[in-house]
Amino acid sequence: MRRLLLGSILGVFLTLGVAPGLGFADQPVDEYRVKAAFLYNFARFTRWEATSKNREMTPLVIGVLGDNPFRGSLRRLEAKTIRNRPIKVRFFDNLHVAHECDLLFVSASEEKNLSFVLDLFDKQPTLLVSDIPDFAEEGGHIGLVSRGNKIRFRVNMRSLKDARITLSSKLLRLAEKVEGL
Amino acid sequence: MDECLLTLQMKLIFDKLAYLNFSFIAPKKQMISSLRQGVFAMEVSVTCIRTGMASAILISALLGALSPTVADPASPDLFNLTLEQLMDIRVTSVSKTEQEVHRAAAAVFVLTREDIRRSGATSLPELLRRVPGVHVARIDSNKWSVSVRGFSGMFSNKLLVLIDGRTVYNPFFGGVFWQAQDIVLEDIERIEVIRGPGAALWGANAVNGVINVITRSAKETQGGLVSAGAGTFDQGIGVARYGWSPTEETAIRVYGKGTRRAELERPDGTDAEDDWISLLAGFRLDTEDVWGGNLSVQGEIKDADAGSIRPIIEGTPPAQTDQVTQSDILNGHLLARWSDNTTQIQLYYDRLSYDEPKFAVLSYDTIDLDLQHKFSLGERHFFLVGGGYRFIHDHTEETETIEVTDEVRTTHQFNLFLQDTITLAPDRWQLILGTKVEDSNQSDVAWQPSVRVLYTPNPDHTLWGAVSRAVRLPTRAETDLSFNATVRNIGIPLLIKSAGNNAVESEKLLAYEAGYRWKVTPDVALDLAAFYHRYSDLISGETGSPVMMGGYAISITAFANGIKGRIYGFEGVLNWKPTARLRLEATYAFMETDMKSTEAGQTGEANYDGTSPRHQFGFRSLWNLTDTVELDTFLHFTDEIHFRSGSVSTCWNLDLRLGWRPREGLELSAIGQNLLHSQQQEFDVIRYPDYPAEIPRGIFGKVTWEF
């Protein structure tokens, strides 16, 4: 039914002489599809201190705290593995369970609770990533920032050290480093 | 973008572990139980992030709180790209505004910066043509009728227009002197248009709609911009702007703009003498960390010289001759706004002087103070309270056209408003109760309450309904000015005058509205709104019997609350992004006007019946042909409109824009305006005999360079 509706709308527009553009080299991409790919790369280039929970074969859990801005693009990561660990994507609205993540994306919807989240994860071995403004400066691990219409990331070395998380030099080379809490 | 968020700052009383069992992300249910157990003390405050809170209470105020999760669109694999490649991808984002509009409990439409840039429009009213349910008719080169849901006219007085929180409604005639409201279109962040009454928040005159223009923060306009355009009709438009940051917290921009527009032709082929020159210069400063909040200071000075042909009445016995007049409009303002997480204080001074010899020589000074505060009470109540004071000192001189009893008038207006957003069922049902009460030394106390209900069964569907009351205060023209309108020959000269009446009361509206929004897919969205507006005490001009004066006669048209009636209709918007390169939008608006005199024998209804089109249709496409070439179209249809003097026939029209961005910061565009007719009249005379011109086809080219 929906397809039929779309089809007929398309038909109308086509008869009006407006054909959808074709050829997609370098077209803009939805920001959260790109950010999902960033998260995947962060997970690939991060070493967590060895604990029982990050052994081979146990799932590497990527979590989203709050509203899910990725739509379905993050879920598609579950087809992949990182260092023989299958990826599991989970969505949380409860911090208690969010602690099970290896990487936690703090959604912009949680900006209001940011200091609380950061307090709670202080020195915990969970890599915290967010696009909330000044996330890395405020004590988060990796902050995604926009430059023009491209994405950059900033890391807070001190909080990473506190959390005993090591980022590979490949990642650090591309990062902007910030002083921070 | 202003986004109001509810901040829940929780203070730990017992140990940290207690928090871990506590879900604060969806706080509503569990928080209540936790509170009952006495586990927490909570400090609740409201945070407004981002600078430029001009519209903090605009769309966001009509929102419900939701957490949208949307189904996945099929997508190619970006996971195989390297970080370097990812960092090179250009991204687009769904704006907060889009999300807000989807969840608003009112008929809201937003023109974004991208819409504005790609419209090719060269003035504010022309931009507004793209908004569903707004009727824009160009009267001549420098005059427009802009109205929402009926009551079109040059002084269409039931619409409130705000630019960065500053009203540009003119207290003499109502409506807006659009020729004095030139603006740097490149610096507009967005234009929010609310159809239907917004009086509970914005107060008097927000009867049929509110148009809110929000300019960009100075932080967003760093660096330089130079733009030059020329065309057949918009003969020359030049813009220069420069923005810099003297300190890390502060950003400033200064700008100037000059516009010159050609004169048009009247339907009888004669010159309309309506050429128009406008110059403006201004600045905006935004700074963070001032007394714990953000401070924005902006100022602007504008000078517009616009021509007209007016029927000037002189002599005894009175004789009417059409004369070319030149109006010189000077408008300046200075505005300061401070805001932090919960509070906003805004103060501005605005002066407008309008000098058109033989027609109108007037000025008004406005000082306006506005306060807003937001807070939560418990988990279910979110309050927005505010108050304001406005001082208007106006002055008008006698001219051949206007007679005054008091040259000077001082108005003190006070208002208070309160709005409570009540969460009935978290994420599903919200009830928004609000009222504004206004009082002034020129009118009675006006209560303007509204009740809105918002139902969001899931993030893709929004249903809303509203009942609201709004009033329009009588203008000076309706209360204490007299106009010499025209002279007719009935054997002897008959002078027709309109006379203000101090006894006229405010016009009232009771509006019933409902709407539905549906995100059909991530790329298709539908927005429908229906309304039933019941008006009473509409102000009409009631023509009296001629009185012999010796050699000539006078007939006085006195203002009275002589009309009541209803307007009902609906508006629809369908948005579709078939590909990332193409966006399509179809809009349709239908309305039916039914006005009648409150007493037999009165004649006023013809003022209102039929001046707005029953059907309006718009179709827009924004198409990226390649990465650097854009083709944009706007096709629109306006139904026939009727006047006492005749009617203006149905009109299809088309605007085209071809844009080329050969490199970052440089844009060239070619714009075709009104392409379907060589020239076409869009409006006619209502009360005052102004002469409409025919609006021609035009070509406009523009170069914009940002550095």
Side-chain angles (χ1 to χ4, degrees):
Chain A
M1 182 60 211
R2 187 174 288 186
R3 190 168 288 246
L4 196 67
L5 178 72
L6 284 179
S8 48
I9 297 168
L10 178 65
V12 170
F13 287 141
L14 284 176
T15 42
L16 282 168
V18 187
L22 300 166
F24 294 94
D26 196 28
Q27 71 182 57
V29 181
D30 177 72
E31 72 171 293
Y32 280 98
R33 284 182 51 207
V34 180
K35 285 179 178 173
F38 269 95
L39 294 194
Y40 171 63
N41 274 286
F42 294 154
R44 278 175 66 201
F45 297 112
T46 299
R47 296 243 166 234
W48 285 267
E49 190 185 53
T51 64
S52 59
K53 79 170 192 182
N54 60 18
R55 277 194 303 253
E56 275 193 12
M57 302 313 288
T58 60
L60 190 150
V61 181
I62 295 181
V64 176
L65 182 65
D67 292 353
N68 171 19
F70 296 98
R71 301 184 180 178
S73 46
L74 205 58
R75 278 243 182 258
R76 302 176 65 254
L77 272 178
E78 296 195 334
K80 300 195 172 289
T81 57
I82 292 176
R83 291 184 299 275
N84 286 331
R85 296 178 69 188
I87 297 175
K88 184 102 191 105
V89 176
R90 299 192 54 190
F91 300 95
F92 301 101
D93 58 7
N94 185 316
L95 278 176
H96 182 56
V97 274
H99 266 271
E100 295 165 8
C101 304
D102 296 281
L103 186 158
L104 182 68
F105 180 85
V106 184
S107 165
S109 66
E110 303 318 303
E111 178 161 3
K112 59 202 178 194
N113 305 309
L114 182 58
S115 56
F116 177 49
V117 173
L118 291 175
D119 272 358
L120 213 54
F121 280 87
D122 189 32
K123 300 187 173 57
Q124 300 296 311
T126 298
L127 180 67
L128 299 173
V129 184
S130 177
D131 51 9
I132 292 172
D134 296 333
F135 181 73
E137 287 83 345
E138 300 282 334
H141 299 144
I142 304 184
L144 291 166
V145 294
S146 296
R147 289 267 184 283
N149 45 14
K150 293 179 180 168
I151 296 170
R152 296 286 178 271
F153 60 98
R154 320 182 92 179
V155 300
N156 184 325
M157 298 306 290
R158 186 143 142 213
S159 356
L160 280 167
K161 188 160 169 263
D162 288 348
R164 298 181 302 281
I165 295 172
T166 318
L167 304 184
S168 82
S169 57
K170 183 175 166 54
L171 227 162
L172 289 176
R173 202 178 61 240
L174 297 168
E176 300 169 9
K177 286 158 200 90
V178 298
E179 304 292 317
L181 305 165
Chain B
M1 266 180 293
D2 306 300
E3 165 69 340
C4 293
L5 294 170
L6 187 63
T7 302
L8 301 167
Q9 294 168 341
M10 284 159 243
K11 284 192 175 151
L12 189 61
I13 289 183
F14 298 125
D15 71 50
K16 207 171 182 176
L17 282 171
Y19 268 119
L20 298 175
N21 292 319
F22 174 65
S23 162
F24 69 86
I25 305 297
K28 293 98 191 171
K29 289 170 206 153
Q30 291 174 26
M31 186 184 293
I32 295 163
S33 57
S34 304
L35 281 169
R36 283 196 190 119
Q37 291 156 16
V39 180
F40 303 102
M42 232 175 50
E43 213 179 70
V44 181
S45 67
V46 178
T47 306
C48 268
I49 54 163
R50 306 225 188 210
T51 54
M53 269 192 39
S55 68
I57 64 159
L58 297 178
I59 290 182
S60 357
L62 301 165
L63 281 185
L66 274 182
S67 44
T69 37
V70 189
D72 181 28
S75 53
D77 204 343
L78 295 167
F79 296 127
N80 297 330
L81 301 184
T82 65
L83 269 172
E84 286 91 338
Q85 288 169 322
L86 287 172
M87 289 170 78
D88 210 37
I89 290 184
R90 288 188 296 133
V91 297
T92 56
S93 49
V94 177
S95 67
K96 278 260 162 44
T97 312
E98 267 175 69
Q99 293 179 14
E100 288 180 350
V101 166
H102 183 69
R103 300 180 316 207
V108 175
F109 187 88
V110 173
L111 282 172
T112 62
R113 198 147 59 82
E114 179 77 351
D115 289 329
I116 294 166
R117 182 178 70 79
R118 299 187 65 165
S119 69
T122 57
S123 65
L124 211 42
E126 294 300 320
L127 263 177
L128 296 171
R129 283 188 201 272
R130 285 147 182 86
V131 183
V134 176
H135 175 223
V136 177
R138 194 160 192 168
I139 298 167
D140 65 20
S141 181
N142 59 59
K143 299 177 195 73
W144 280 268
S145 157
V146 178
S147 61
V148 175
R149 292 182 176 173
F151 304 103
S152 301
M154 179 159 43
F155 300 119
S156 69
N157 49 30
K158 291 170 198 48
L159 176 68
L160 187 67
V161 182
L162 301 163
I163 298 177
D164 281 335
R166 176 178 55 89
T167 177
V168 295
Y169 188 89
N170 98 65
F172 277 94
F173 310 111
V176 174
F177 290 124
W178 289 105
Q179 67 271 44
Q181 297 307 331
D182 197 12
I183 189 166
V184 177
L185 297 174
E186 286 82 357
D187 287 347
I188 299 178
E189 176 62 39
R190 65 182 191 278
I191 301 175
E192 302 175 344
V193 179
I194 292 155
R195 308 184 299 273
L201 285 173
W202 294 281
N205 310 327
V207 175
N208 273 23
V210 182
I211 292 175
N212 188 37
V213 179
I214 297 146
T215 66
R216 304 175 74 193
S217 159
K219 289 192 194 77
E220 310 274 325
T221 54
Q222 296 290 288
L225 178 143
V226 180
S227 168
T232 52
F233 163 51
D234 294 311
Q235 291 176 322
I237 300 178
V239 175
R241 174 238 286 159
Y242 187 72
W244 74 99
S245 292
T247 70
E248 198 156 304
E249 294 80 31
T250 307
I252 302 176
R253 73 162 170 263
V254 293
Y255 56 88
K257 180 181 179 183
T259 306
R260 184 191 172 89
R261 287 189 167 87
E263 68 173 326
L264 306 181
E265 267 181 18
R266 287 159 63 174
D268 61 8
T270 57
D271 290 341
E273 307 284 354
D274 55 348
D275 51 331
W276 172 30
I277 292 174
S278 148
L279 296 169
L280 67 87
F283 75 95
R284 175 166 172 161
L285 177 150
D286 287 277
T287 175
E288 291 170 354
D289 286 335
V290 180
W291 307 304
N294 297 319
L295 178 69
S296 178
V297 181
Q298 55 196 92
E300 197 170 76
I301 186 147
K302 299 183 218 208
D303 183 11
D305 285 290
S308 303
I309 296 178
R310 307 274 190 193
I312 301 295
I313 296 162
E314 292 168 302
T316 317
Q320 173 182 331
T321 47
D322 286 350
Q323 299 184 14
V324 178
T325 59
Q326 200 68 27
S327 65
D328 181 3
I329 310 172
L330 261 173
N331 185 198
H333 73 264
L334 188 64
L335 179 146
R337 183 188 317 114
W338 178 87
S339 57
D340 73 357
N341 300 336
T342 59
T343 308
Q344 175 178 302
I345 303 168
Q346 176 183 282
L347 178 69
Y348 70 77
Y349 167 70
D350 184 282
R351 176 180 171 82
L352 186 139
S353 75
Y354 184 108
D355 185 358
E356 185 174 344
K358 296 196 175 178
F359 178 64
V361 179
L362 51 87
S363 66
Y364 48 93
D365 295 86
T366 307
I367 296 170
D368 183 284
L369 175 68
D370 192 57
L371 306 167
Q372 293 167 24
H373 183 66
K374 311 179 184 74
F375 61 96
S376 291
L377 217 61
E379 300 78 44
R380 291 180 179 266
H381 294 271
F382 173 65
F383 283 97
L384 187 62
V385 296
Y389 165 68
R390 182 176 298 164
F391 166 87
I392 306 171
H393 179 82
D394 64 44
H395 175 262
T396 174
E397 286 173 22
E398 295 249 335
T399 64
E400 279 74 359
T401 307
I402 296 180
E403 285 169 31
V404 278
T405 33
D406 300 309
E407 285 206 341
V408 173
R409 187 167 91 169
T410 303
T411 309
H412 303 274
Q413 283 173 10
F414 301 89
N415 74 73
L416 286 170
F417 72 89
L418 173 70
Q419 180 178 283
D420 183 9
T421 303
I422 306 164
T423 303
L424 300 175
D427 293 345
R428 283 183 178 265
W429 285 97
Q430 285 198 322
L431 178 66
I432 304 167
L433 302 175
T435 190
K436 187 154 197 162
V437 55
E438 282 184 297
D439 193 12
S440 97
N441 60 337
Q442 304 294 347
S443 55
D444 294 332
V445 176
W447 287 89
Q448 305 187 80
S450 83
V451 180
R452 292 177 189 273
V453 180
L454 186 68
Y455 174 55
T456 42
N458 66 54
D460 293 338
H461 299 269
T462 302
L463 275 154
W464 61 271
V467 181
S468 25
R469 181 179 193 268
V471 305
R472 181 183 72 84
L473 305 176
T475 60
R476 267 202 90 175
E478 288 158 339
T479 52
D480 67 352
L481 303 184
S482 296
F483 280 87
N484 292 325
T486 186
V487 175
R488 289 207 193 114
N489 198 342
I490 51 164
I492 53 169
L494 170 66
L495 170 64
I496 297 175
K497 272 177 95 120
S498 79
N501 172 3
N502 258 320
V504 288
E505 292 177 21
S506 298
E507 299 182 329
K508 285 124 195 145
L509 163 67
L510 190 60
Y512 304 86
E513 296 174 276
Y516 171 56
R517 283 183 209 95
W518 180 24
K519 274 190 200 158
V520 186
T521 74
D523 301 316
V524 178
L526 181 71
D527 183 352
L528 299 171
F531 64 96
Y532 181 87
H533 287 187
R534 254 181 50 201
Y535 297 89
S536 55
D537 289 334
L538 289 175
I539 297 175
S540 56
E542 304 298 339
T543 309
S545 320
V547 180
M548 289 304 297
M549 296 294 291
Y552 69 103
I554 295 184
S555 166
I556 290 183
T557 300
F559 288 109
N561 296 100
I563 307 176
K564 63 180 181 180
R566 52 189 189 154
I567 298 181
Y568 53 91
F570 64 91
E571 298 117 3
V573 185
L574 180 65
N575 252 296
W576 183 30
K577 267 188 228 171
T579 77
R581 288 179 175 276
L582 179 66
R583 208 183 102 203
L584 304 171
E585 182 181 273
T587 64
Y588 173 68
F590 167 81
M591 52 165 270
E592 194 75 71
T593 310
D594 178 13
M595 294 288 157
K596 52 177 177 279
S597 298
T598 45
E599 286 167 39
Q602 289 186 320
T603 54
E605 78 241 53
N607 284 343
Y608 289 133
D609 251 346
T611 58
S612 296
R614 290 177 74 218
H615 303 275
Q616 282 197 97
F617 168 76
F619 173 77
R620 266 200 302 162
S621 69
L622 307 181
W623 186 9
N624 296 332
L625 293 174
T626 73
D627 292 333
T628 56
V629 180
E630 301 159 335
L631 178 65
D632 307 314
T633 60
F634 175 51
L635 177 73
H636 56 115
F637 168 80
T638 311
D639 201 7
E640 196 173 42
I641 44 179
H642 304 279
F643 300 87
R644 278 177 181 172
S645 49
S647 52
V648 172
S649 57
T650 58
C651 179
W652 281 94
N653 231 327
L654 177 72
D655 293 343
L656 275 179
R657 172 184 173 275
L658 186 66
W660 181 39
R661 308 223 265 183
R663 41 177 279 208
E664 191 118 350
L666 184 64
E667 179 188 314
L668 292 90
S669 51
I671 294 145
Q673 304 155 319
N674 307 320
L675 291 174
L676 299 187
H677 304 278
S678 64
Q679 50 188 47
Q680 168 110 3
Q681 185 181 338
E682 294 186 357
F683 208 66
D684 208 336
V685 171
I686 297 188
R687 278 185 193 166
Y688 185 79
D690 244 308
Y691 298 110
E694 293 199 320
I695 312 307
R697 179 181 292 144
I699 295 168
F700 184 71
K702 189 170 120 172
V703 182
T704 307
W705 181 41
E706 275 186 273
F707 54 94

